[in-house]
């Protein structure tokens, strides 16, 4: 089963991550139904899987053949259909690929699901099957039986421009093209459309509003491009409810198919990194834990790059998302974080490069932390924040302080805020439109069950 979800994924947030999680869950559920024709047993089976996934499990876990393929709309298409994106395509791709439920991405997809593009999405499996079938007929029935087995992995034979998709998923918010027609009309007509519940309390629009606020507060109101009509200085309030079950869903172990492209590449990269490390005669042990301290406010491609590098350098990565109380204290002399600690933690939990997340960590490394997590290396999101006390604690506990510099992407939220500020007029116009449609969504919303 290959499930497709497309989108802009601008400022890729945990609402997008939850949409991707639900899309993959739909595929897993339908895959499981196909294989066992036992829909009602699925939830029980999942529970069994979770139990078996525990550290002391003696039985093997159920593997999945479901894959989630994500189509990422190009910058030009977003600008044409919605107004300019805040985050350029390369960074949006980096963020989406880091979401642990994603198996593959297709870049540069059209905003509109044209008949030609839909044809390419749904082709692949069938074309490959037909070709393979004809060849098989020339051989014995034994080969034909092998074909049946191999057809599970038929995506391996799929031509590069055909994707073998089985269904297309989108959130329950209406999605219209510039001409007012339904963007998902074709897959709906074909019976290949599935819907998931949109995550309430977070959106790109909401984050843009917070970024504009942050940009204004961090340049002391010197921004001359600020619209005078915007007299609303009230701090944006979070509407997201962090429930225990949402955290559990995000933290649950993900099972990957053998052909999952991103997972395979990621595994190879990490294995190579570890082999390199073990060649190093100074490597003290084979069970390294990297503890990464940071605010992780407005999770971005720079954060992904940081965590990815840590995951190559160590066997385990713990992302310590600093508690609000340490970031809002007067001593920091910084504006408060744009997202609260649970919101900031959700994005880190959804990231494939984190093995665990401390939700609301102290801002400093302590003896206790070193011992509790058996920390071997500490990384700070911002090297400038390392104190003499941090160095003393690390020295005492034999913990290395690693410096992971920004390579391709900035991890500073001010970089993103400046992009919004530079295009303030365009973003404000887009905000007006989007806020109206979001208000309409919240007005008409009723209960929709989640996947
Ligand atoms: N999505 C969601 N919950 C959110 C935001 C988005 O489930 N809070 C889903 C959308 O329904 C869509 C996918 O994420 O299926 C990608 O959304 P995207 O194209 O990036 O755009 P928007 O729906 O406009 O999301 P946002 O308002 O955050 O820009």
């Amino acid at each position: 089963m290959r499930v497709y979800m497309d989108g802009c994924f601008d400022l890729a947030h945990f609402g997008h991550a939850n949409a991707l999680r639900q899309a993959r869950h739909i595929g897993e559920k339908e895959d499981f139904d196909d294989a066992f024709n036992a829909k009602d047993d699925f939830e029980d089976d999942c529970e069994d899987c979770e139990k078996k996934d525990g550290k002391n499990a003696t039985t093997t876990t159920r593997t999945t053949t479901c894959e989630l393929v994500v189509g990422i709309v190009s910058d030009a298409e977003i600008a044409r259909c919605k107004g300019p994106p805040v985050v350029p395509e390369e960074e949006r791709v980096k963020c989406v690929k880091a979401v642990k439920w994603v198996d593959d991405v297709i870049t540069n997809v059209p905003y509109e699901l044209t008949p030609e593009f839909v044809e390419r999405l749904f082709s692949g499996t069938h074309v490959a099957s037909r070709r393979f079938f004809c060849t098989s007929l020339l051989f014995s029935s034994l080969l034909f039986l092998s074909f049946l087995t191999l057809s599970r992995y038929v995506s391996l034979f799929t031509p590069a421009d055909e994707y073998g998709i089985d269904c297309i998923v989108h959130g329950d918010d209406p999605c219209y093209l510039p001409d007012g027609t339904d963007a998902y009309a074709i897959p709906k007509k074909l019976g290949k459309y599935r819907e998931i519940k949109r995550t309430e309390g977070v959106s790109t629009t909401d984050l843009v509003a917070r970024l504009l606020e942050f940009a204004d507060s961090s340049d002391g109101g010197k921004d001359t491009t600020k619209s005078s009509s915007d007299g609303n200085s009230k701090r944006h309030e979070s509407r997201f409810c962090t429930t225990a079950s949402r955290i559990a869903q995000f933290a649950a172990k993900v099972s990957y198919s053998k052909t999952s492209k991103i997972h395979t590449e990621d595994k190879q990269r990490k294995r190579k990194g570890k082999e390199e490390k073990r060649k190093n005669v100074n490597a003290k042990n084979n069970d390294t834990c990297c503890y990464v301290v940071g605010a992780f406010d407005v999770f971005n491609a720079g954060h992904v790059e940081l965590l990815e590098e840590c995951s190559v350098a160590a066997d385990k990565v713990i992302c310590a998302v600093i508690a609000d109380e340490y970031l809002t204290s007067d001593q920091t002399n910084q504006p408060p974080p744009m997202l609260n600690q649970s919101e900031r933690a959700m994005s880190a939990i959804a990231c494939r490069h984190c093995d665990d997340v401390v939700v609301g960590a102290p801002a400093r490394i302590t003896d206790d932390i070193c011992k509790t997590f058996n920390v071997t290396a500490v990384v700070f999101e911002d090297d400038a924040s390392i104190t003499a006390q941090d160095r003393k604690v690390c020295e005492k506990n034999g913990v290395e302080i690693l410096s992971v510099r920004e390579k391709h992407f900035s991890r500073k939220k001010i970089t993103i805020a400046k992009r919004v500020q530079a295009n303030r007029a365009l973003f404000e116009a887009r905000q007006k439109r989007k806020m109206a449609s979001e208000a309409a969504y919240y007005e008409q919303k009723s209960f929709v069950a989640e996947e």
Side-chain angles (χ1 to χ4, degrees), residues 276-295:
E276 285 298 312
K277 191 187 71 184
R278 269 151 210 159
K279 270 192 224 153
N280 179 354
V281 282
N282 295 325
K284 278 182 241 131
N285 68 52
N286 286 338
D287 194 12
T288 48
C289 171
C290 185
Y291 185 83
V292 193
V293 191

Side-chain angles (χ1 to χ4, degrees), residues 7-9 13 16 19 82 170-171 173 198-199 202-204 434:
C8 307
F9 303 98
H13 49 68
H16 293 135
K82 289 173 96 167
H170 188 264
D173 49 316
R198 191 179 160 86
T199 306
V202 58
S203 66
T204 305
K434 282 290 280 180

Side-chain angles (χ1 to χ4, degrees), residues 2 104-106 120 123-124 131 155-164 261:
R2 274 163 73 83
D104 201 355
V105 299
I106 310 173
R120 278 171 60 197
S123 304
R131 280 187 199 144
S155 57
L156 286 174
F157 309 105
T158 303
D161 59 345
E162 295 177 343
Y163 303 108
K261 195 170 164 216

Side-chain angles (χ1 to χ4, degrees), residues 86-107:
V86 178
V87 176
E89 185 174 337
E90 193 190 3
E91 294 177 34
R92 291 185 284 113
V93 171
K94 182 88 187 165
C95 291
V96 170
K97 278 183 156 182
V99 174
K100 60 188 180 184
W101 299 283
V102 178
D103 296 283
D104 201 355
V105 299
I106 310 173
T107 53

Side-chain angles (χ1 to χ4, degrees), residues 5-10 13 15-16 18-19 22 82 111 169-173 184 196-200 202-205 434 438:
M5 172 172 264
D6 62 359
C8 307
F9 303 98
D10 199 10
H13 49 68
H16 293 135
N18 196 34
Q22 292 184 78
K82 289 173 96 167
Y111 190 77
V169 183
H170 188 264
D172 66 339
D173 49 316
Y184 292 86
I196 48 107
K197 181 175 162 40
R198 191 179 160 86
T199 306
E200 284 160 26
V202 58
S203 66
T204 305
T205 309
K434 282 290 280 180
E438 274 194 11

Side-chain angles (χ1 to χ4, degrees), residues 155-383:
S155 57
L156 286 174
F157 309 105
T158 303
D161 59 345
E162 295 177 343
Y163 303 108
I165 299 298
D166 296 289
C167 72
I168 296 180
V169 183
H170 188 264
D172 66 339
D173 49 316
C175 185
Y176 299 118
L177 297 170
D179 67 3
T181 54
D182 182 356
Y184 292 86
I186 300 178
K188 278 181 185 168
K189 225 159 128 187
L190 294 170
K192 298 214 173 205
Y193 177 81
R194 310 279 184 276
E195 205 158 80
I196 48 107
K197 181 175 162 40
R198 191 179 160 86
T199 306
E200 284 160 26
V202 58
S203 66
T204 305
T205 309
D206 174 83
L207 292 178
V208 168
R210 298 194 210 189
L211 279 163
L212 281 167
E213 234 173 49
F214 171 73
D216 294 343
S217 67
S218 51
D219 77 354
K222 282 184 229 113
D223 178 18
T224 49
T225 60
K226 187 176 187 306
S227 145
S228 55
S229 61
D230 181 16
N232 183 6
S233 61
K234 188 173 166 286
R235 194 170 140 66
H236 215 85
E237 274 168 15
S238 167
R239 293 173 75 169
F240 177 67
C241 304
T242 318
T243 57
S245 55
R246 172 78 73 242
I247 293 180
Q249 286 164 337
F250 268 49
K253 200 172 153 74
V254 181
S255 128
Y256 296 97
S257 79
K258 290 191 174 72
T259 51
S260 170
K261 195 170 164 216
I262 297 177
H263 176 65
T264 308
E265 286 171 1
D266 194 46
K267 226 167 58 181
Q268 282 166 353
R269 193 173 36 247
K270 284 171 187 163
R271 191 178 301 141
K272 213 167 139 206
K274 267 144 221 169
E275 277 164 12
E276 285 298 312
K277 191 187 71 184
R278 269 151 210 159
K279 270 192 224 153
N280 179 354
V281 282
N282 295 325
K284 278 182 241 131
N285 68 52
N286 286 338
D287 194 12
T288 48
C289 171
C290 185
Y291 185 83
V292 193
V293 191
F296 296 94
D297 200 15
V298 196
F299 200 80
N300 56 50
H303 292 133
V304 171
E305 198 173 51
L306 165 70
L307 294 168
E308 186 179 42
E309 199 155 319
C310 295
S311 73
V312 170
D315 298 295
K316 189 174 182 186
V317 174
I318 297 178
C319 185
V321 176
I322 300 175
D324 288 341
E325 66 199 85
Y326 298 106
L327 297 172
T328 45
S329 85
D330 291 341
Q331 301 136 7
T332 62
N333 207 15
Q334 295 285 328
M338 281 177 32
L339 285 92
N340 67 37
Q341 74 186 36
S342 354
E343 293 174 310
R344 291 182 284 114
M346 292 311 290
S347 294
I349 305 173
C351 178
R352 67 173 73 241
H353 306 304
C354 291
D355 295 284
D356 210 346
V357 173
V358 181
V359 184
R364 309 266 56 93
I365 184 79
T366 63
D367 285 340
D368 264 0
I369 290 169
C370 293
K371 285 174 198 149
T372 305
F373 297 110
N374 202 13
V375 176
T376 51
V378 174
V379 172
F380 287 83
E381 180 184 338
D382 177 10
D383 280 347

